[in-house]
Amino acid sequence: SAVISQKPSRDICQRGTSLTIQCQVDSQVTMMFWYRQQPGQSLTLIATANQGSEATYESGFVIDKFPISRPNLTFSTLTVSNMSPEDSSIYLCSVVQGNTEAFFGQGTRLTVV
Amino acid sequence: GQNIDQPTEMTATEGAIVQINCTYQTSGFNGLFWYQQHAGEAPTFLSYNVLDGLEEKGRFSSFLSRSKGYSYLLLKELQMKDSASYLCAVREAGGFKTIFGAGTRLFVKA
């Protein structure tokens, strides 16, 4: 199984600022995804991080708010831009190797004040 | 459209058996997953069904009926540590995008 290192594990940020979350995998993976999990709720897919091209965003999420990079097959970043308290959530990186189950990073718990 | 339904909460007794149901309507189908998530932790993989039938793995079993858009997760010999949220998730056809249900919070009592 893939080992995923996600940083930071948590942060408290001022509204209007931006935070970049990093996801590093110990092996090359087919797909990488970013999810958001708001308190007491399930996972909502933000986007698919595509290697070498623009991410594919789900309905309700846009590139200006959540820019994503994926420069290679083992690394991706998600930026939460111009944050507001409504962005307070857990952000999770997920990877798929081959056609198997998804593995998750430990998540980044973001609080916007 | 995409819709995955599962009960919000369930309570069961230590040592008993519990069945968590999941129904889905998605844009194509390429497998159904069950994940366990303890509070404050990331989801961990439990099972994967792509064909109809029952998959057994230790105390946990998962069933799928594609024609009915239905799955269940069966937990036997419940332990206190099984108290967690159980997430039903469907992978859409033609790719690896996985959509999650709202999760079922299971409380195991002594």
Side-chain angles (χ1 to χ4, degrees):
Chain A
S1 63
V3 176
I4 304 168
S5 173
Q6 186 174 337
K7 295 189 283 190
S9 58
R10 60 178 62 231
D11 207 343
I12 301 173
C13 301
Q14 296 290 325
R15 67 177 67 200
T17 63
S18 297
L19 175 72
T20 295
I21 303 167
Q22 298 181 0
C23 178
Q24 178 73 56
V25 192
D26 67 342
S27 57
Q28 293 186 348
V29 293
T30 309
M31 305 290 288
M32 297 181 79
F33 302 91
W34 288 98
Y35 287 85
R36 180 172 73 182
Q37 186 171 31
Q38 295 182 306
Q41 298 187 24
S42 190
L43 284 71
T44 301
L45 182 63
I46 297 172
T48 303
N50 299 310
Q51 194 263 325
S53 64
E54 191 173 288
T56 305
Y57 290 84
E58 296 301 304
S59 176
F61 298 95
V62 295
I63 188 172
D64 290 345
K65 177 67 176 177
F66 297 102
I68 288 170
S69 79
R70 187 178 175 195
N72 55 53
L73 293 175
T74 64
F75 184 77
S76 178
T77 67
L78 167 74
T79 298
V80 186
S81 304
N82 188 25
M83 289 183 283
S84 66
E86 292 71 34
D87 295 321
S88 297
S89 187
I90 297 173
Y91 293 85
L92 292 150
C93 167
S94 170
V95 305
V96 175
Q97 280 182 314
N99 188 27
T100 65
E101 69 274 18
F103 298 95
F104 289 86
Q106 288 303 304
T108 297
R109 186 179 296 270
L110 171 62
T111 303
V112 183
V113 297
Chain B
Q2 303 169 336
N3 193 42
I4 300 175
D5 287 321
Q6 50 182 131
T8 303
E9 288 186 1
M10 299 182 71
T11 301
T13 305
E14 192 176 17
I17 300 172
V18 70
Q19 177 174 313
I20 303 174
N21 296 323
C22 171
T23 58
Y24 64 89
Q25 293 173 311
T26 57
S27 305
F29 179 84
N30 191 24
L32 186 142
F33 298 83
W34 284 95
Y35 286 84
Q36 180 190 61
Q37 186 177 28
H38 285 99
E41 299 182 10
T44 55
F45 169 79
L46 290 177
S47 69
Y48 171 60
N49 294 70
V50 66
L51 299 176
D52 290 351
L54 186 69
E55 295 281 341
E56 297 186 76
K57 187 187 294 186
R59 293 189 300 117
F60 292 13
S61 303
S62 57
F63 172 83
L64 174 67
S65 170
R66 288 172 296 170
S67 63
K68 296 181 179 178
Y70 168 71
S71 174
Y72 67 73
L73 178 70
L74 193 71
L75 292 78
K76 303 176 185 175
E77 302 171 13
L78 279 174
Q79 302 175 9
M80 299 299 287
K81 67 178 182 179
D82 297 329
S83 294
S85 288
Y86 291 85
L87 309 176
C88 175
V90 175
R91 180 165 289 168
E92 294 186 337
F96 298 95
K97 190 168 79 171
T98 303
I99 306 301
F100 283 78
T104 298
R105 189 171 296 183
L106 175 66
F107 299 94
V108 179
K109 59 182 182 179

